[in-house]
Amino acid sequence: MKITKVETIPLRLPEVAARCDGTQDTLVVRVHTDAGLTGVGEVDSSPTVAQAAIEAPMSHSICCGLAELVVGEDPLGIDALWQKMVWGSRYMGRRGVVVHAMSAIDIALWDIAGKAFEKPVWQLMGGAGFESVRAYGSLLFGNTPEETYEKARKAADRGFTAIKFGWDPMGQSEELDLALVRAAREGMGPEADVMIDAGQCFDVKTARRRCRQFEEFNLMWLEEPLHPDDVVGYGELSRSVEMRIAAGEAEESRGAFQALMDVGGIDVVQIDVTRCGGLTEARRIADMARDRKKPVVNHSFKTGINMAASLHMLAGTGNNWVLEYGQEPSPLREELTYETFPVVDGYVKLPQEPGLGVTLNEATVEKYAG
Ligand code: MG
């Protein structure tokens, strides 16, 4: 079997500028083969820049677009192709958008392998031992504590027993920060698990103070309180508070995760499989996390492709603590794949179909192409 083509499909909602929830656009990647099998993947990055990283013609031997590096190769040599992509793009890549783009190709290769061997990807990865993962509803804060309370109430009504709120308007004032978290807790009730995503808005001392102030709300974790590059700050914070600190969604490649764990001392390792370098790199990161007894969770704020790949990533690496499950309404999240990953009694079942187990809705692709 040989790879014949890497197809990039940017999708974009018309109101893209008005939304900042991660589901406003995406880059879907299809890897075609001469055996008739096709794999699908997705990138969480700037779709246009990631597309360029894939489609760029060779500049020289260490600065080549990703498609040119994999076309003509055996799609089942996944790890070898991963190394070839890193090595062939090392002058412009190794980190950032090139690795983001590699993620989609890698996920598509795993999809092809699953279809070729007629197994779900998590099984090919040698994982699972469980059939479902507990989902937490992931939402942006309302503009006010009252709106946040209502969003939490609705999530609880939909059956979620765990929830996360994040980003704006957290960070505007101490009073508002506390009111937002109180609203989230009261809306979900005392039994639920509540997480807060600070959206990178604090400095170390403010984050430390908030951790103390948020103690009364019994949070499961505080996420990304600091600038992603403040790895030393993460270390100062993590060593001085009891609350679990989560981070990782802004990172790609295992070196960055190693720094976050060993220097930053984070407690919860958040991997976005459509950004970190794909399932192949996610497994290496998850192995490092296991050595340090740190739980791995997904970051997932894109479409059903990311959701499926995240489920395979968690199941394939033996992590079944919680699954991030985006709840902001979006046609790209809800309608790009026929599979909708229903939450039943708070849990989502692992895909059982060969490969990733997703089928693109071509009408949705056509509607938002651009
Ligand atoms: Mg986050």
Side-chain angles (χ1 to χ4, degrees), residues 138 164 167 197 199 223-224 249 270 299 324:
S138 192
K164 184 174 81 190
W167 295 79
D197 182 348
E223 177 170 327
E224 287 208 302
E249 69 177 70
Q270 294 181 287
H299 171 261
E324 178 166 38

Side-chain angles (χ1 to χ4, degrees), residues 10 40 125 133 143 153 176 196 283 299 303 329 353:
V40 67
M125 292 175 76
V133 186
N143 291 320
R153 284 290 301 273
L176 181 59
I196 296 297
R283 179 148 69 181
H299 171 261
T303 75
E353 299 299 312

Side-chain angles (χ1 to χ4, degrees), residues 204 207-208 211 222 225-226 230-247 260-268 294:
V204 174
R208 192 181 290 152
C211 283
L222 178 67
L226 308 179
D230 191 5
V231 180
V232 172
Y234 269 108
E236 288 175 34
L237 177 66
S238 295
R239 279 191 296 274
S240 62
V241 298
E242 281 193 22
M243 189 173 292
R244 287 193 195 100
I245 303 297
L260 261 185
M261 287 186 249
D262 292 348
V263 181
I266 61 162
D267 304 289
V268 181
K294 293 177 189 291

Side-chain angles (χ1 to χ4, degrees), residues 111 115 121 308 312 339 341 351-359:
D111 190 22
K115 288 168 178 165
V121 166
H312 289 290
E339 297 74 16
F341 312 97
Q352 299 295 335
E353 299 299 312
L356 284 183
V358 294
T359 315

